[in-house]
Amino acid sequence: MITVLENVYIAILAPFLKYSKKLDEKTKHILLIMAFVCMNLLYLAYRLLKQDRNYYIYNIFGIIIMAAIIFFSLDEKLEQVKYRKPAMFSWILLGLTMMISDYFFRKTYFGIGFLLLFGFTMIGFVWANHSNKEKLWMAFIQGTRFSFLGFTLFALLFRPRAVGARYAGIFINPNILGLYLITVFACYLILIEKAIKENTSLRKSSVLFIEIGMGMFFLFMTQARTSMLATALAAIAWFAIRLAISRRQKNLKVFWKYILCCIIGIVIMFPICYKALEIIPNAVDHPVKYQYDQTYAKLDNSVTVLAADAKKDSTLTRFLTTSDNNLVEHLLNGRLAIYKDYAKKITLFGRNGFSSRNSVTKEKYIHAHNNILQMGYTYGVFAMVAYIVLAVIGVITALIYWIKHDGEKNFAALPFIIMITFHMASMTETIAIPFLSFPAFVYYLCMSDFIFKKGVRHE
């Protein structure tokens, strides 16, 4: 099947190659960065407008942006390339089972399987044919970095912090900002990785340390436990593996130098950003309020509730306190009942929507707060199994790839970091729809690239 897909891709894209070649590499790189900025903005637009009924409009814009990414990623030629068989088999199985479920049950979010199997796989195929894939990933990282800095500037100017409330920044919900920041964190971690390998001077990297400090500050201000935990575990995993590699390469001095500077950057930027968030928006005195703004605060010791009249700042206490001895319930924030409800309703081929209603309490659950359960509920057992197998194969292969190619590729750690942050966050959040969830888009982009290998395939 992959050979058929590749031949289809070549037939579709071949006429565009001559137009792509007319653009110089610098122009294409800038336009590719802009395409990724547009994907960031599409995610922001959906989260601000909250118009699920216009899902197909977002899909159209998302497909246009994906087409731009493909066009600006075209290189000199297109030919069949090698691929990682276990990952490719799981990827195709996931797409097919999702499409079969779509055929039998009309979904709220229709066509994701086709999008994975055809759209994202096309990007992976084009990127595998590119002579400098690291340049493509750098365009993604730069696009996300510029978007983050733009979002941060807007927040500092027009989105003041409310005492006692969790901070949502440019978004309407602090949890959404937290999920966005896990992808931002992955990008900055890779930039640090690149600086360590190239032994870039600390002076040239100083801006990087400042931006990392800003990102960590805003993540902390969201109090989003899912995102904070995903970021922390990914950082620990990266630290342990990078430490081992640096020790093996006898490069520990450079490694510790950058780690220390990152810590200093975070320590310095926390009080600066905290004060700036208090002073700058009030000085500008033009606060921006959205139609769907949600102010989340900790009003008791067990549940995070919606509240516009929070009385005290509970940034740290919310994360640390609990009203009883049930630590699992506290960390899951009431999600255990949702997990049980969705687990009981998993079928072979799925069902129409994402939402469920508790048969006893009649409470409506918007989604499963877990990607695996959501896959089983919406697309069926076969899709859920394919998703799990793909996740396991992806993480293991990405780790092996990082260790094996660390010396020759600056971005060797990228697939592993993206997969770890995504899967950790998806344990307590449903982030499966590519154009409505930026972490999902990035994960599918990473997997579509990772299933292919460098090198021409002759069959």
Side-chain angles (χ1 to χ4, degrees), residues 43 46-47 109 112 175-176 179 226 335 338-339 342 353-355 365-379 387 422-434 436-440 444:
Y43 175 58
Y46 169 73
R47 290 301 174 180
Y109 304 110
I112 299 177
N175 293 325
I176 301 303
L179 288 173
T226 292
R335 289 179 173 90
I338 301 176
Y339 295 164
Y342 273 82
F354 266 53
S355 302
Y365 304 129
I366 303 301
H367 52 76
H369 285 280
N370 178 282
N371 268 14
I372 295 174
L373 291 175
Q374 193 71 67
M375 281 287 175
Y377 177 86
T378 305
Y379 295 102
Y387 175 84
F422 174 81
H423 288 306
M424 288 305 306
S426 68
M427 295 303 292
T428 55
E429 293 291 346
T430 297
I431 44 176
I433 308 169
L436 308 188
S437 171
F438 192 63
Y444 295 136

Side-chain angles (χ1 to χ4, degrees), residues 17-314:
L17 270 175
K18 61 178 180 180
Y19 297 106
S20 175
K21 291 177 182 178
K22 292 180 180 180
L23 297 173
D24 61 85
E25 289 303 312
K26 184 177 180 180
T27 300
K28 284 202 291 187
H29 185 70
I30 293 172
L31 292 173
L32 186 58
I33 292 172
M34 292 175 63
F36 283 117
V37 169
C38 289
M39 191 60 77
N40 280 262
L41 293 174
L42 180 67
Y43 175 58
L44 174 65
Y46 169 73
R47 290 301 174 180
L48 296 187
L49 300 176
K50 288 188 67 177
Q51 295 182 355
D52 289 322
R53 63 183 180 275
N54 293 328
Y55 166 68
Y56 292 103
I57 295 177
Y58 290 102
N59 253 11
I60 291 172
F61 279 109
I63 290 170
I64 292 172
I65 296 171
M66 281 184 68
I69 291 171
I70 291 170
F71 179 75
F72 297 132
S73 300
L74 290 171
D75 205 11
E76 291 298 316
K77 57 185 178 180
L78 293 171
E79 51 194 348
Q80 293 181 2
V81 291
K82 297 177 182 179
Y83 55 89
R84 294 178 171 85
K85 292 182 180 180
M88 179 64 78
F89 175 77
S90 303
W91 175 262
I92 291 175
L93 184 61
L94 176 62
L96 286 176
T97 51
M98 293 175 76
M99 288 173 63
I100 292 170
S101 181
D102 277 352
Y103 178 80
F104 288 107
F105 303 98
R106 185 70 175 180
K107 301 289 192 297
T108 306
Y109 304 110
F110 184 79
I112 299 177
F114 180 80
L115 192 63
L116 298 188
L117 199 56
F118 190 79
F120 279 96
T121 311
M122 183 184 286
I123 292 181
F125 172 70
V126 170
W127 283 27
N129 272 278
H130 200 277
S131 58
N132 189 355
K133 191 187 294 186
E134 287 194 2
K135 190 174 182 180
L136 301 176
W137 275 112
M138 179 55 78
F140 158 73
I141 289 175
Q142 289 175 321
T144 303
R145 184 182 183 182
F146 294 153
S147 300
F148 163 68
L149 294 176
F151 293 173
T152 299
L153 178 62
F154 184 90
L156 286 172
L157 290 173
F158 306 113
R159 298 285 285 172
R161 179 181 65 87
V163 175
R166 296 165 57 195
Y167 190 65
I170 197 171
F171 294 93
I172 62 173
N173 183 318
N175 293 325
I176 301 303
L177 174 59
L179 288 173
Y180 176 72
L181 287 175
I182 67 171
T183 302
V184 173
F185 167 78
C187 291
Y188 277 106
L189 202 56
I190 295 304
L191 289 175
I192 288 293
E193 174 94 354
K194 183 174 182 290
I196 290 174
K197 289 183 179 182
E198 296 177 349
N199 197 12
T200 308
S201 69
L202 296 180
R203 182 178 59 82
K204 290 183 179 180
S205 302
S206 57
V207 175
L208 194 60
F209 303 137
I210 292 171
E211 293 174 15
I212 290 172
M214 291 168 56
M216 291 299 96
F217 166 78
F218 283 108
L219 179 60
F220 179 74
M221 291 301 292
T222 67
Q223 303 178 57
R225 285 175 290 202
T226 292
S227 301
M228 293 173 74
L229 187 60
T231 301
L233 292 178
I236 292 170
W238 174 83
F239 176 85
I241 297 169
R242 172 48 54 198
L243 178 62
I245 293 175
S246 296
R247 182 181 287 118
R248 186 186 66 191
Q249 297 174 345
K250 299 181 180 180
N251 195 31
L252 280 174
K253 184 177 179 180
V254 175
F255 171 75
W256 284 115
K257 179 174 68 174
Y258 274 90
I259 294 299
L260 180 61
C261 287
C262 285
I263 294 173
I264 293 173
I266 293 171
V267 171
I268 291 174
M269 291 310 297
F270 258 61
I272 292 176
C273 289
Y274 193 87
K275 202 65 179 176
L277 205 56
E278 180 181 303
I279 295 174
I280 296 176
N282 292 326
V284 174
D285 198 25
H286 287 287
V288 174
K289 296 183 179 180
Y290 305 131
Q291 179 182 358
Y292 300 103
D293 255 332
Q294 297 171 311
T295 306
Y296 282 84
K298 178 81 177 300
L299 296 188
D300 60 66
N301 288 329
S302 60
V303 183
T304 302
V305 296
L306 185 63
D309 57 347
K311 301 301 182 184
K312 61 179 181 178
D313 196 332
S314 55

Side-chain angles (χ1 to χ4, degrees), residues 339-410:
Y339 295 164
K340 292 177 180 178
D341 182 77
Y342 273 82
K344 288 189 297 185
K345 297 176 180 178
I346 292 175
T347 61
L348 283 179
F349 297 104
R351 58 185 70 239
N352 291 337
F354 266 53
S355 302
S356 175
R357 190 175 295 276
N358 191 298
S359 56
V360 178
T361 64
K362 305 302 179 184
E363 180 181 1
K364 184 179 180 180
Y365 304 129
I366 303 301
H367 52 76
H369 285 280
N370 178 282
N371 268 14
I372 295 174
L373 291 175
Q374 193 71 67
M375 281 287 175
Y377 177 86
T378 305
Y379 295 102
V381 171
F382 300 114
M384 181 177 70
V385 171
Y387 175 84
I388 294 172
V389 171
L390 179 66
V392 173
I393 290 174
V395 171
I396 294 174
T397 309
L399 178 58
I400 296 172
Y401 177 85
W402 178 11
I403 295 172
K404 183 178 179 180
H405 297 283
D406 182 76
E408 59 191 79
K409 299 179 186 294
N410 283 329

